[in-house]
Amino acid sequence: QVQLEESGGGLVQAGGSLRLSCAASGRTGLLLGVGWFRQAPGKEREEREFISAINWAGDNTYYADSVKARFTISSDNAKKTVYLQMSSLKPEDTAVYYCAAPRDGASWYFSANYIYWGQGTQVTVSS
C-alpha cells in the first residue's frame, strides 16, 4: 500500500505564498509521480480540480491554466516528496488541497486516474 501525507496549508492574505508538501511512504516503487488537486468549498469529491502533477524524475510537469503562472511543482525523488510552491494567491484559490498518485501515465489531468489520495490540507486565502 501507499500512504500520502500533505502538509503546509494555512491562512494567507491575497498576494501571499504557501508551500505545500506531499510525502509518500509505503510501496513507493509503485508510483510514477504525484498530482495535486483541490476541492473548493461546496464542491463534491467528483469535482476536484486538477492543479499540477510531476513525475519522480522531475522532468515532466503538468499545470492547469489557472495556476500555471503562479504555482511551481517540484519533486525530491530521494525523499519521495513533492512540493507545490504557490505564489500570488487569490481568494479563489481557497480549497482543500489533495495530493494523489496516478494508476498510470495515461492521464495526469483526470482525478479518475488517481488511486491513492492523501487526507488533504486546507488553504484559505483572505481578501
Side-chain angles (χ1 to χ4, degrees):
Q1 275 289 20
V2 171
Q3 293 80 41
L4 300 172
E5 183 174 5
E6 304 94 339
S7 61
L11 174 64
V12 64
Q13 289 188 332
S17 300
L18 282 175
R19 189 177 82 155
L20 305 183
S21 299
C22 174
S25 60
R27 299 181 67 186
T28 57
L30 300 174
L31 305 182
L32 299 175
V34 167
W36 286 96
F37 291 78
R38 66 188 181 189
Q39 185 171 343
K43 297 289 188 180
E44 300 294 329
R45 179 188 175 110
E46 294 74 21
E47 297 174 279
R48 288 179 182 174
E49 176 190 9
F50 172 79
I51 298 302
S52 185
I54 189 169
N55 64 343
W56 284 120
D59 54 359
N60 288 316
T61 57
Y62 310 86
Y63 292 96
D65 289 342
S66 59
V67 306
K68 188 176 296 185
R70 302 183 294 123
F71 293 7
T72 302
I73 195 169
S74 60
S75 64
D76 185 331
N77 194 15
K79 295 182 179 180
K80 282 297 185 279
T81 299
V82 169
Y83 305 97
L84 185 68
Q85 178 67 47
M86 306 187 296
S87 303
S88 301
L89 284 163
K90 306 174 182 179
E92 51 263 44
D93 293 317
T94 294
V96 178
Y97 283 69
Y98 296 89
C99 66
R103 176 184 297 106
D104 53 44
S107 175
W108 291 87
Y109 295 93
F110 296 101
S111 61
N113 194 43
Y114 288 74
I115 56 174
Y116 299 108
W117 291 82
Q119 294 299 306
T121 186
Q122 177 71 47
V123 171
T124 302
V125 184
S126 63
S127 57

